[in-house]
Amino acid sequence: MTDAAQRLRSLAEQVLGAPLPVRLRAWDGSQAGPPDAPALVVRNRRALRRMLFKPGELGLARAWVSGDLDVEGDLYTVLDAMAGLVWERGEDARTLRQAVRDPAVRAAARDLLKLAAPPIPPAPPREEMRRPRRRLHTRRTDQRAISHHYDVGNDFYEIVLGPSMVYSCAYWEQDGTLETAQRDKLELVCAKLGLKEGQRLLDVGCGWGSMAIHAAREHGVSVVGITLSQEQAAYARKRVADAGLTDRVEIRVQDYRDVVDGPYDAISSIGMAEHVGAERYLEYARQLYALLKPGGRLLNHQIARRPQRDESAYEVDQFIDSYVFPDGELAPIGTTVTQLERAGFEVRDVESIREHYARTLRRWVANLEDDWDRAVGLTSPGRARVWRLYMAASALAFERNRIGVNQVLAIRTPDSGASGLPLRPRTWHG
C-alpha cells in the first residue's frame, strides 16, 4: 500500500489542481515531495479528519492550532509557497470548494477517510471563537469580539509587542529598533493632527495607552482614550499613573457610540476601524465627525484589502474570523475615503505605509519565537500558535501587496472653508 505521505500529496494536488510546492511528512515517518524543501508535517490521523470534515482554510487552521499540523523548516517559506493555493481569499476559496465536489476528488477523499479513521469529526480547538448566528456589530457582540482578541493577557502582549506596547504598524527608518519605530509612528500621528498644548484629543481604540501617553507627555494635550477591553484599560491606567499623567489622560471602557462629551480638537483612530464592520462604518464616521469641533482633524490608521471585481463576493478570512479578529472586516482604501467624505469629512492626505507593517510583523514574530516557552505558559500552546501563524502570514500579505495599511487625514472643514493646514502639509515628515 502507498505510504501516507504520498497518498496525502496525491489528494492535495487533486483538490488544489496544482503540484504541492512543499514536502509532506506523515505520522508514519513517510515523506513525499522535494527532499530539500521545507515540510508540512501531519503529526497524526486527527489532522486528516480536521481537514476532511472542514475542507479548506478552516480545517487547516484547526489542524495547525491544535498542533496536529506543523511546519518543519522556515514558516515564511512554507506560507509563501502555499498562499496562492490555499490562503488567498475570494476566487481561490471558491475554486477549492468546487474541487471538493468533483467525483474523482470525492472518491480520493473517501479513500483517505479510511486512512483517517475513525470517521468522527474532532472538536474544534478551544481557542476558536464559537458563536450562534446573530446580528453583527451590536454593542454586545463588539464587546465579546474585542475581549476575544485583546483579553489574552497583558504579559503575553508584552512579549510580542515589546516595551512600546503599540499594536499597530510602526514607522521605520532604514535601520532602528521596534521601540524607536513605534515612537516615530506615534509622533507622525501627532504631527498630522497638529496637536498643540491645551487641546483635547480622543483616542478611539486606545489599546494599552501608548498614543494617549505620548500625546499628553510630548504635546501637552488632554486625552480621553476609549477601549472595550477591561484588561487593556487596567494596564493603560497604570501606565498613565506611572507616567504622572492622570491629570491629563483619562482611560475609559466605552463604546465609540456612547461618547457624548465633544467637541474634541482631534481624534486618532489607530487600528480601530477594522473592527467596526462595513454596515456600521458610515455610522462610525458620522459619530467621529460629530465629536470634532469645526476645523478639527481625524487621523484614521487602517488596514485595507485589494478591491474585488465583484465586491459582493467578498468573504471574511475564516481563520482570522474564528481565531484572531472575530467579526473584523477589511475594506479597500477607496471605500474608506468615500465613507469618510459621505460623513462630511474633507480628506486631505492619504499615505500608504504597507511595507512598514510587514517589517513590524516580522519583529513581532521574532519576539514571540524568542520567548516561546513563556508565551505558551502565559496563554496556551494553541493561542501562541494562532498568533505565530496570523502574524507571519500577515507579514507576507503586506509584502506581496495582498493587503495594505493607510493613514488618512481628514478634517471637519468649517463653513468658511479654511482647513487650517499649511499649503504644503507634508511638512510633518521633517
Side-chain angles (χ1 to χ4, degrees):
M1 179 180 289
T2 307
D3 58 39
Q6 186 57 54
R7 294 173 71 186
L8 284 170
R9 187 177 184 86
S10 297
L11 175 66
E13 291 180 346
Q14 279 185 284
V15 171
L16 298 172
L20 197 64
V22 296
R23 181 166 49 94
L24 273 180
R25 182 160 67 81
W27 64 90
D28 62 353
S30 61
Q31 300 190 53
D36 297 329
L40 277 176
V41 181
V42 184
R43 296 198 176 280
N44 51 52
R45 297 171 189 267
R46 185 172 57 247
L48 302 188
R49 295 197 293 275
R50 293 190 186 281
M51 291 184 279
L52 286 166
F53 281 100
K54 277 291 181 182
E57 184 174 330
L58 186 56
L60 284 165
R62 287 176 173 177
W64 170 268
V65 174
S66 63
D68 299 331
L69 185 70
D70 209 344
V71 165
E72 188 177 88
D74 183 66
L75 176 60
Y76 292 104
T77 301
V78 173
L79 291 175
D80 203 25
M82 295 295 296
L85 296 175
V86 177
W87 283 287
E88 291 287 327
R89 300 187 181 96
E91 294 179 354
D92 288 338
R94 291 193 296 276
T95 300
L96 180 61
R97 289 196 293 270
Q98 290 166 3
V100 172
R101 299 189 189 104
D102 183 272
V105 173
R106 293 177 71 89
R110 283 193 295 270
D111 180 58
L112 196 61
L113 186 58
K114 297 176 183 176
L115 181 65
I120 302 171
R126 64 185 178 89
E127 291 82 7
E128 183 172 315
M129 186 169 178
R130 295 179 288 277
R131 54 248 162 125
R133 287 183 174 272
R134 76 268 189 261
R135 186 181 175 191
L136 296 181
H137 302 296
T138 65
R139 285 168 173 79
R140 181 176 180 181
T141 58
D142 280 354
Q143 173 79 54
R144 188 171 180 225
I146 291 297
S147 179
H148 176 87
H149 185 80
Y150 292 105
D151 292 344
V152 175
N154 295 326
D155 291 342
F156 175 81
Y157 276 107
E158 283 180 343
I159 291 173
V160 174
L161 304 180
S164 68
M165 289 300 285
V166 179
Y167 192 24
S168 56
C169 174
Y171 196 71
W172 296 89
E173 298 290 347
Q174 192 62 32
D175 298 306
T177 66
L178 176 61
E179 289 68 45
T180 298
Q182 289 292 14
R183 182 200 63 204
D184 289 348
K185 188 273 298 298
L186 297 177
E187 185 56 30
L188 177 63
V189 172
C190 292
K192 289 181 177 181
L193 289 172
L195 297 183
K196 298 178 178 63
E197 187 169 354
Q199 290 184 328
R200 296 183 76 213
L201 169 68
L202 175 65
D203 186 27
V204 186
C206 66
W208 292 271
S210 298
M211 175 63 191
I213 291 169
H214 181 89
R217 183 178 56 214
E218 303 299 330
H219 296 272
V221 298
S222 297
V223 187
V224 172
I226 62 171
T227 175
L228 293 180
S229 167
Q230 295 284 350
E231 288 194 22
Q232 280 187 334
Y235 190 98
R237 287 169 184 150
K238 184 179 186 305
R239 292 181 73 198
V240 168
D242 291 345
L245 293 170
T246 53
D247 60 329
R248 278 187 278 170
V249 178
E250 178 188 2
I251 303 296
R252 304 174 183 166
V253 177
Q254 188 174 37
D255 191 285
Y256 70 88
R257 288 162 283 205
D258 297 328
V259 179
V260 294
D261 59 344
Y264 288 88
D265 298 280
I267 298 176
S268 53
S269 175
I270 306 173
M272 163 64 190
E274 298 89 337
H275 296 289
V276 171
E279 69 178 58
R280 294 282 188 183
Y281 200 93
L282 183 57
E283 176 189 354
Y284 179 68
R286 285 172 172 163
Q287 172 71 353
L288 300 190
Y289 183 86
L291 288 168
L292 277 174
K293 73 174 189 180
R297 302 182 190 181
L298 164 70
L299 193 286
N300 185 68
H301 177 117
Q302 182 177 344
I303 297 171
R305 62 175 171 85
R306 302 292 298 170
Q308 297 184 186
R309 285 190 293 270
D310 178 9
E311 278 294 312
S312 67
Y314 168 65
E315 295 180 354
V316 176
D317 183 286
Q318 287 185 309
F319 167 63
I320 290 179
D321 189 48
S322 298
Y323 288 97
V324 187
F325 286 108
D327 303 340
E329 296 177 60
L330 301 183
I333 179 59
T335 301
T336 296
V337 168
T338 296
Q339 294 289 67
L340 290 172
E341 290 182 330
R342 288 181 65 196
F345 282 105
E346 179 188 7
V347 173
R348 293 300 301 256
D349 187 77
V350 179
E351 181 179 7
S352 171
I353 53 175
R354 173 174 61 81
E355 294 87 350
H356 293 259
Y357 218 155
R359 181 177 289 198
T360 303
L361 284 155
R362 283 183 177 265
R363 292 294 180 93
W364 289 345
V365 171
N367 286 346
L368 177 60
E369 292 176 341
D370 288 345
D371 208 355
W372 181 259
D373 290 342
R374 192 164 74 91
V376 167
L378 289 169
T379 54
S380 68
R383 184 71 65 190
R385 290 172 66 83
V386 165
W387 254 247
R388 183 174 177 234
L389 177 61
Y390 150 65
M391 294 189 298
S394 295
L396 290 171
F398 281 108
E399 289 170 356
R400 304 297 185 264
N401 192 29
R402 297 179 189 125
I403 54 176
V405 61
N406 305 279
Q407 288 192 349
V408 180
L409 178 65
I411 299 176
R412 178 173 175 169
T413 307
D415 293 340
S416 67
S419 70
L421 286 173
L423 291 177
R424 296 186 176 184
R426 286 183 182 266
T427 53
W428 47 69
H429 290 288

